[in-house]
Every structure is written in structure tokens, then in C-alpha cells.
Amino acid sequence: MKAYLALISAAVIGLAACSQEPAAPAAEATAASEAPAAEAASAPEAPAAEAAAGDAAAPAAGNCATTVEANDMMQFNTKEIQVSKACKEFTITLKHTGTQPKASMGHNIVIGKAEDMDGIFKDGVGAADTDYVKPDDARVVAHTKLIGGGEEASLTLDPAKLADGEYKFACTFPGHGALMNGKVTLVD
Ligand SMILES: [Cu+2]
């Protein structure tokens, strides 16, 4: 009797299993369709993470530029400009924070080898028309134009040009160079 019942129940289970079979693929299909959906949902996160990493790298690019201020007191706000070797190009922006016009308190930034600066000044004094920089002066590594109060100008240079010696920056407006000068140093 027990064996008979067992057979019946086995058959019932078998039948039930059979009747449930069509449902199984459906369940699989559901599971299968859910998987790509889950992947699709997580996939957009990867580019987003990359974008975030890109943003994190942005400040590094900012290290390839610096700003130097000059004022009506014939002063730069720094005695040293640090240029990162890692940069392909380095930009220096000069900002004249004063109000005096270019004709009386003009400033520029001229970069050259320390031993060349005297010559650059001497030849620049007479070059008022070209912002007190002798045209095509081969000793000048880079320079900004001459600006007056409230103005801004920038120069871009290849850091590799500063590798072979000691370099300085100065304003070549007549009489300014003695006060307005400093070192340009290469840093990692
Ligand atoms: Cu100046």
C-alpha cells in the first residue's frame, strides 16, 4: 500500500514536473533577459568612472601654466617661476594688477639665460616700438608683449629650452629690470 502510494505520488510529481516544464524556459528567459538588463544598467557606469578619472587628471594639466602678477610699484609678485619638465608646453601669464598706463608703468616678461640678460636689456632699451625687446633677439627664449594696468599677456615655451643652464625672467621696460627679475627653474 505504501509502495503504491509512493508510485502515485511519484507519478503526480512527475506529472506536475511535466506540466511545469513549459514554465521553466519562461523563467530562464526571464532570468536571461534580466542579465543583459543588469549589464546594460552597469555598463554606463564604466565610462562615467573613466570620465571621473579624466577630471582628476585635469589639475595636472594646470601645472603647465602659471600666472605672475606685476603692479604699479614696479614689482613682480614672485622671484622664481617654476616650470615643470613634464610639460610639452608651459604657459606663463603676466597680469598687471595696477592702473598705470603702459607708457609709464609698462611691464613684460622676458626670459633668457642669466648671462644674456644684460645684453637683452641694453638692446631692449631702444626698442620701444617692439615692447623693449630687440626684434628677433636670439638670446630671448620667450617673452610677452608689454602691457599696462589691468591688462594681461602670456607666453608659451618648450621647457626643454631651459635645460642647458641658468635662466632668468625680467621686465625690460627701461629701469625696471633691476627690481623686476627672478629665476626660471625647471622642476619635475
Ligand atoms: Cu616693468
Side-chain angles (χ1 to χ4, degrees):
M1 191 62 175
K2 269 184 186 174
Y4 175 75
L5 274 175
L7 267 175
I8 296 261
S9 54
V12 168
I13 289 164
L15 273 172
C18 277
S19 68
Q20 276 171 10
E21 251 169 48
E28 268 170 41
T30 305
S33 66
E34 266 171 28
E39 269 171 40
S42 63
E45 276 171 29
E50 272 169 40
D55 287 347
N63 291 336
C64 291
T66 192
T67 298
V68 173
E69 291 180 359
N71 61 22
D72 284 344
M73 310 289 286
M74 221 188 288
Q75 292 164 328
F76 283 128
N77 69 340
T78 183
K79 278 283 179 191
E80 183 180 3
I81 297 174
Q82 294 191 331
V83 174
S84 171
K85 284 180 210 176
C87 299
K88 243 172 101 180
E89 286 192 326
F90 192 90
T91 299
I92 300 168
T93 298
L94 170 65
K95 216 170 159 179
H96 193 320
T97 60
T99 58
Q100 299 286 310
K102 187 162 81 169
S104 60
M105 188 52 71
H107 300 309
N108 62 12
I109 287 180
V110 179
I111 296 173
K113 264 193 175 171
E115 63 263 36
D116 288 338
M117 293 311 280
D118 280 348
I120 290 171
F121 284 128
K122 277 178 191 151
D123 291 339
V125 169
D129 291 346
T130 50
D131 295 346
Y132 300 107
V133 178
K134 188 179 91 172
D136 302 319
D137 190 334
R139 297 164 298 187
V140 173
V141 173
H143 72 91
T144 68
K145 63 177 188 172
L146 191 75
I147 57 170
E151 295 182 316
E152 240 180 73
S154 62
L155 65 81
T156 298
L157 62 87
D158 177 355
K161 288 186 176 177
L162 306 172
D164 64 335
E166 198 185 320
Y167 285 81
K168 293 197 78 176
F169 71 97
C171 172
T172 58
F173 189 95
H176 289 198
L179 272 177
M180 302 186 73
N181 69 81
K183 283 196 272 187
V184 181
T185 50
L186 271 184
V187 295
D188 285 331

